Amino acid sequence: MATSPTPPGNPLTPVTPSHAGVAGGGMEELLPLVLQLTNPDQREVVLLELSKKRESFADLAPILWHSQGTVAALLIEIVSIYPHLTPPTLTAHASNRVCNALALLQCVASHSDTRQPFLAANIPLYLYPFLNTQSKSRPFEYLRLTSLGVIGALVKVDDTEVISFLLSTEIIPLCLRIMETGSELSKTVATFIVQKILLEETGLNYVCATAERFYAVGTVLSNMVQLLQVHPSVRLLKHVVRCYLRLADHPRAREALKTCLPASLRDNTFGPHLHNDPTVQKWLSQLLQVVGQNADGSDAASTAPTVGTSLSGSTLGEN
Ligand code: TRP
């Protein structure tokens, strides 16, 4: 029997407010369930049960974190999947099961009392092998999306410590690949993560520290814009535009964007899609204002230096 998974947490939608003491969710009910996670025979059923109910238990995260053997049980679920990553042999059933474990970890990542110890224990690193998979099959898409949901839950809270942790773990190249090759939903979450990293000063400086990094990000963003012309998605475009706008806060990145911003962002290609979204419209026009013109007010495209001069390593690589 395949357990049906709960939907992966989407960091782009607000978390349902918890109803501590209102919606069932009492300790008496919760603790015995949580402890059953340590029993391999009961684990699968309990994973499903707890991940379904996770929104209604305000204290699920601290209980999971502090009860004996529970986090270890979740990590066992995760590492037991590794042998199925290469060659890709993950079944839908196994994917659903580990995604229920990931949903519980997402809970721990989201809770203000457990986030710091969650990072200190390097738990996100256990998810990186999942983010690094490339199979397009549904079990793998679902695994990547759910893993991204955990990272998305971390970055959603605007915590500098989260960003420094992620920067120290090379998450950006993993996100960049998903932004190039993932499903529309995975791309959106991966771009959201990169956006949140860029919005921190340390993240912006990290990405703009070398020309290679800046162009790795710039190329992926521009490839996404190309694809968005064929497969429009306003929610994805929104994060792409926000990333560009943030990059433009960095002086050398701003100069580079004057030449490498995709033409379709300048020529109103996406205009017809943006009527219902004043926020993207605003960001896009801010972006064009910042990078669209040279300092003297002339059109950047006509007077921009050639790629070779403006995009060389020294342009972005110093300071
Ligand atoms: N170690 C690589 C670096 O520091 C990580 C990396 C690859 C990276 N691609 C990137 C970092 C793009 C930022 C942007 O460059």
Side-chain angles (χ1 to χ4, degrees):
M1 181 204 71
T3 49
S4 67
T6 55
N10 183 343
L12 309 173
T13 54
V15 171
T16 324
S18 52
H19 309 284
V22 182
M27 261 297 232
E28 328 70 56
E29 193 190 339
L30 189 53
L31 196 56
L33 270 179
V34 166
L35 290 175
Q36 282 173 36
L37 283 173
T38 57
N39 181 336
D41 299 329
Q42 295 173 320
R43 192 177 297 145
E44 177 164 12
V45 173
V46 178
L47 281 172
L48 177 61
E49 187 73 11
L50 283 172
S51 62
K52 269 202 253 170
K53 290 188 180 169
R54 67 186 193 274
E55 306 269 298
S56 42
F57 293 115
D59 293 325
L60 178 56
I63 291 171
L64 281 170
W65 188 260
H66 294 290
S67 54
Q68 197 141 43
T70 323
V71 174
L74 297 177
L75 293 179
I76 288 171
E77 287 297 307
I78 287 172
V79 301
S80 70
I81 294 302
Y82 292 167
H84 301 284
L85 301 182
T86 37
T89 56
L90 187 65
T91 63
H93 179 204
S95 176
N96 288 346
R97 175 170 168 156
V98 73
C99 286
N100 287 332
L102 292 173
L104 297 186
L105 286 181
Q106 178 169 336
C107 219
V108 175
S110 303
H111 197 288
S112 57
D113 293 350
T114 50
R115 185 180 316 117
Q116 201 282 326
F118 180 79
L119 293 179
N122 287 316
I123 309 282
L125 296 185
Y126 289 89
L127 278 46
Y128 288 15
F130 297 161
L131 297 177
N132 201 28
T133 58
Q134 286 172 70
S135 167
K136 293 274 194 187
S137 72
R138 277 184 60 105
F140 281 92
E141 285 288 359
Y142 185 53
L143 181 62
R144 281 191 296 271
L145 181 60
T146 310
S147 304
L148 284 170
V150 179
I151 312 293
L154 278 175
V155 298
K156 207 168 112 176
V157 295
D158 294 321
D159 176 342
T160 317
E161 259 187 71
V162 167
I163 304 302
S164 8
F165 174 88
L166 293 177
L167 290 177
S168 72
T169 64
E170 306 244 331
I171 186 91
I172 292 194
L174 292 173
C175 284
L176 290 179
R177 207 182 43 224
I178 294 172
M179 287 157 69
E180 288 224 276
T181 61
S183 63
E184 186 261 350
L185 197 49
S186 297
K187 280 180 183 175
T188 304
V189 184
T191 312
F192 171 77
I193 293 168
V194 169
Q195 172 194 322
K196 287 301 219 175
I197 290 173
L198 288 173
L199 286 173
E200 286 281 332
E201 209 57 32
T202 48
L204 182 64
N205 289 332
Y206 171 90
V207 165
C208 296
T210 69
E212 288 73 18
R213 289 180 183 179
F214 171 79
Y215 284 106
V217 174
T219 304
V220 170
L221 290 174
S222 137
N223 290 343
M224 284 204 292
V225 171
Q226 295 295 321
L227 269 172
L228 281 165
Q229 295 180 54
V230 194
H231 303 285
S233 158
V234 174
R235 65 178 173 179
L236 177 53
L237 182 64
K238 185 172 187 158
H239 296 295
V240 171
V241 169
R242 190 67 189 89
C243 284
Y244 274 127
L245 181 59
R246 176 55 176 163
L247 285 169
D249 283 338
H250 189 280
R252 275 167 293 148
R254 188 187 314 134
E255 285 312 304
L257 286 174
K258 287 180 180 175
T259 51
C260 72
L261 191 71
S264 57
L265 288 182
R266 297 182 186 272
D267 66 9
N268 204 32
T269 298
F270 294 100
H273 299 291
L274 302 183
H275 288 311
N276 298 323
D277 204 321
T279 308
V280 204
Q281 265 176 342
K282 185 187 73 189
W283 287 341
L284 185 54
S285 57
Q286 283 175 356
L287 174 66
L288 295 183
Q289 219 159 32
V290 180
V291 307
Q293 314 249 290
N294 291 322
D296 64 0
S298 62
D299 181 359
S302 60
T303 54
T306 60
V307 169
T309 52
S310 80
L311 310 191
S312 67
S314 61
T315 311
L316 282 154
E318 286 151 15
N319 305 321

PDB file of all heavy atoms in Angstrom, residues 170 172-173 176 206-207 210 212-214 216-217, ligand 1:
ATOM      1  N   GLU A 170      27.281  25.671  -0.033  1.00  0.00           N
ATOM      2  CA  GLU A 170      27.172  25.519  -1.487  1.00  0.00           C
ATOM      3  C   GLU A 170      25.772  25.149  -1.964  1.00  0.00           C
ATOM      4  O   GLU A 170      25.602  24.328  -2.876  1.00  0.00           O
ATOM      5  CB  GLU A 170      28.164  24.462  -2.001  1.00  0.00           C
ATOM      6  CG  GLU A 170      29.583  24.752  -1.563  1.00  0.00           C
ATOM      7  CD  GLU A 170      30.510  25.047  -2.729  1.00  0.00           C
ATOM      8  OE1 GLU A 170      30.271  24.541  -3.837  1.00  0.00           O
ATOM      9  OE2 GLU A 170      31.455  25.822  -2.519  1.00  0.00           O
ATOM     10  N   ILE A 172      23.841  27.241  -3.487  1.00  0.00           N
ATOM     11  CA  ILE A 172      23.491  27.998  -4.701  1.00  0.00           C
ATOM     12  C   ILE A 172      23.644  27.172  -5.979  1.00  0.00           C
ATOM     13  O   ILE A 172      22.727  27.128  -6.796  1.00  0.00           O
ATOM     14  CB  ILE A 172      24.223  29.349  -4.750  1.00  0.00           C
ATOM     15  CG1 ILE A 172      23.643  30.213  -3.629  1.00  0.00           C
ATOM     16  CG2 ILE A 172      24.070  30.020  -6.115  1.00  0.00           C
ATOM     17  CD1 ILE A 172      23.982  31.674  -3.695  1.00  0.00           C
ATOM     18  N   PRO A 173      24.775  26.491  -6.177  1.00  0.00           N
ATOM     19  CA  PRO A 173      24.845  25.673  -7.405  1.00  0.00           C
ATOM     20  C   PRO A 173      23.730  24.627  -7.501  1.00  0.00           C
ATOM     21  O   PRO A 173      23.229  24.362  -8.596  1.00  0.00           O
ATOM     22  CB  PRO A 173      26.222  25.009  -7.342  1.00  0.00           C
ATOM     23  CG  PRO A 173      26.941  25.597  -6.185  1.00  0.00           C
ATOM     24  CD  PRO A 173      26.049  26.516  -5.439  1.00  0.00           C
ATOM     25  N   LEU A 176      20.710  26.496  -8.582  1.00  0.00           N
ATOM     26  CA  LEU A 176      20.835  26.939  -9.977  1.00  0.00           C
ATOM     27  C   LEU A 176      20.483  25.812 -10.929  1.00  0.00           C
ATOM     28  O   LEU A 176      19.821  26.021 -11.952  1.00  0.00           O
ATOM     29  CB  LEU A 176      22.247  27.459 -10.261  1.00  0.00           C
ATOM     30  CG  LEU A 176      22.634  28.783  -9.605  1.00  0.00           C
ATOM     31  CD1 LEU A 176      24.062  29.154  -9.971  1.00  0.00           C
ATOM     32  CD2 LEU A 176      21.674  29.896  -9.987  1.00  0.00           C
ATOM     33  N   TYR A 206      28.337  37.705  -1.677  1.00  0.00           N
ATOM     34  CA  TYR A 206      28.855  36.369  -2.017  1.00  0.00           C
ATOM     35  C   TYR A 206      28.684  36.101  -3.511  1.00  0.00           C
ATOM     36  O   TYR A 206      29.616  35.690  -4.206  1.00  0.00           O
ATOM     37  CB  TYR A 206      28.118  35.322  -1.183  1.00  0.00           C
ATOM     38  CG  TYR A 206      28.364  33.882  -1.554  1.00  0.00           C
ATOM     39  CD1 TYR A 206      29.410  33.163  -0.963  1.00  0.00           C
ATOM     40  CD2 TYR A 206      27.552  33.212  -2.481  1.00  0.00           C
ATOM     41  CE1 TYR A 206      29.634  31.832  -1.284  1.00  0.00           C
ATOM     42  CE2 TYR A 206      27.769  31.886  -2.807  1.00  0.00           C
ATOM     43  CZ  TYR A 206      28.812  31.203  -2.205  1.00  0.00           C
ATOM     44  OH  TYR A 206      29.024  29.891  -2.533  1.00  0.00           O
ATOM     45  N   VAL A 207      27.492  36.350  -4.012  1.00  0.00           N
ATOM     46  CA  VAL A 207      27.227  36.055  -5.425  1.00  0.00           C
ATOM     47  C   VAL A 207      27.991  37.001  -6.345  1.00  0.00           C
ATOM     48  O   VAL A 207      28.406  36.607  -7.436  1.00  0.00           O
ATOM     49  CB  VAL A 207      25.705  36.100  -5.713  1.00  0.00           C
ATOM     50  CG1 VAL A 207      25.406  36.160  -7.198  1.00  0.00           C
ATOM     51  CG2 VAL A 207      25.013  34.887  -5.088  1.00  0.00           C
ATOM     52  N   THR A 210      32.755  37.166  -7.362  1.00  0.00           N
ATOM     53  CA  THR A 210      33.555  36.836  -8.545  1.00  0.00           C
ATOM     54  C   THR A 210      32.670  36.916  -9.776  1.00  0.00           C
ATOM     55  O   THR A 210      31.449  36.732  -9.699  1.00  0.00           O
ATOM     56  CB  THR A 210      34.146  35.402  -8.479  1.00  0.00           C
ATOM     57  OG1 THR A 210      33.076  34.460  -8.592  1.00  0.00           O
ATOM     58  CG2 THR A 210      34.902  35.161  -7.180  1.00  0.00           C
ATOM     59  N   GLU A 212      32.632  34.772 -12.139  1.00  0.00           N
ATOM     60  CA  GLU A 212      32.105  33.436 -12.419  1.00  0.00           C
ATOM     61  C   GLU A 212      30.779  33.224 -11.691  1.00  0.00           C
ATOM     62  O   GLU A 212      29.800  32.741 -12.267  1.00  0.00           O
ATOM     63  CB  GLU A 212      33.102  32.352 -11.982  1.00  0.00           C
ATOM     64  CG  GLU A 212      34.336  32.252 -12.855  1.00  0.00           C
ATOM     65  CD  GLU A 212      35.319  33.398 -12.661  1.00  0.00           C
ATOM     66  OE1 GLU A 212      35.242  34.118 -11.614  1.00  0.00           O
ATOM     67  OE2 GLU A 212      36.159  33.601 -13.555  1.00  0.00           O
ATOM     68  N   ARG A 213      30.762  33.601 -10.417  1.00  0.00           N
ATOM     69  CA  ARG A 213      29.515  33.421  -9.658  1.00  0.00           C
ATOM     70  C   ARG A 213      28.403  34.273 -10.234  1.00  0.00           C
ATOM     71  O   ARG A 213      27.293  33.796 -10.460  1.00  0.00           O
ATOM     72  CB  ARG A 213      29.741  33.791  -8.197  1.00  0.00           C
ATOM     73  CG  ARG A 213      30.596  32.797  -7.462  1.00  0.00           C
ATOM     74  CD  ARG A 213      30.756  33.244  -6.030  1.00  0.00           C
ATOM     75  NE  ARG A 213      31.627  32.354  -5.272  1.00  0.00           N
ATOM     76  CZ  ARG A 213      31.945  32.533  -4.012  1.00  0.00           C
ATOM     77  NH1 ARG A 213      31.461  33.579  -3.356  1.00  0.00           N
ATOM     78  NH2 ARG A 213      32.731  31.676  -3.393  1.00  0.00           N
ATOM     79  N   PHE A 214      28.712  35.552 -10.464  1.00  0.00           N
ATOM     80  CA  PHE A 214      27.671  36.432 -10.983  1.00  0.00           C
ATOM     81  C   PHE A 214      27.123  35.902 -12.307  1.00  0.00           C
ATOM     82  O   PHE A 214      25.906  35.857 -12.515  1.00  0.00           O
ATOM     83  CB  PHE A 214      28.187  37.856 -11.175  1.00  0.00           C
ATOM     84  CG  PHE A 214      27.199  38.715 -11.910  1.00  0.00           C
ATOM     85  CD1 PHE A 214      26.110  39.263 -11.244  1.00  0.00           C
ATOM     86  CD2 PHE A 214      27.322  38.926 -13.281  1.00  0.00           C
ATOM     87  CE1 PHE A 214      25.170  40.019 -11.929  1.00  0.00           C
ATOM     88  CE2 PHE A 214      26.376  39.689 -13.967  1.00  0.00           C
ATOM     89  CZ  PHE A 214      25.307  40.233 -13.288  1.00  0.00           C
ATOM     90  N   ALA A 216      27.226  32.824 -13.459  1.00  0.00           N
ATOM     91  CA  ALA A 216      26.495  31.569 -13.270  1.00  0.00           C
ATOM     92  C   ALA A 216      25.035  31.891 -12.933  1.00  0.00           C
ATOM     93  O   ALA A 216      24.099  31.348 -13.529  1.00  0.00           O
ATOM     94  CB  ALA A 216      27.141  30.738 -12.170  1.00  0.00           C
ATOM     95  N   VAL A 217      24.837  32.842 -12.016  1.00  0.00           N
ATOM     96  CA  VAL A 217      23.474  33.217 -11.627  1.00  0.00           C
ATOM     97  C   VAL A 217      22.780  33.957 -12.773  1.00  0.00           C
ATOM     98  O   VAL A 217      21.639  33.636 -13.134  1.00  0.00           O
ATOM     99  CB  VAL A 217      23.495  34.076 -10.336  1.00  0.00           C
ATOM    100  CG1 VAL A 217      22.112  34.596  -9.995  1.00  0.00           C
ATOM    101  CG2 VAL A 217      24.057  33.268  -9.170  1.00  0.00           C
TER     102      VAL A 217
HETATM  103  N1  TRP B   1      32.384  26.849  -4.963  1.00  0.00           N
HETATM  104  C1  TRP B   1      31.654  27.589  -5.963  1.00  0.00           C
HETATM  105  C2  TRP B   1      32.079  29.053  -5.829  1.00  0.00           C
HETATM  106  O1  TRP B   1      32.381  29.436  -4.720  1.00  0.00           O
HETATM  107  C3  TRP B   1      30.181  27.457  -5.711  1.00  0.00           C
HETATM  108  C4  TRP B   1      29.410  27.984  -6.850  1.00  0.00           C
HETATM  109  C5  TRP B   1      29.207  27.410  -8.043  1.00  0.00           C
HETATM  110  C6  TRP B   1      28.685  29.209  -6.865  1.00  0.00           C
HETATM  111  N2  TRP B   1      28.376  28.152  -8.818  1.00  0.00           N
HETATM  112  C7  TRP B   1      28.062  29.271  -8.135  1.00  0.00           C
HETATM  113  C8  TRP B   1      28.501  30.236  -5.959  1.00  0.00           C
HETATM  114  C9  TRP B   1      27.278  30.379  -8.472  1.00  0.00           C
HETATM  115  C10 TRP B   1      27.729  31.332  -6.317  1.00  0.00           C
HETATM  116  C11 TRP B   1      27.127  31.395  -7.565  1.00  0.00           C
HETATM  117  O2  TRP B   1      32.136  29.765  -6.798  1.00  0.00           O
END
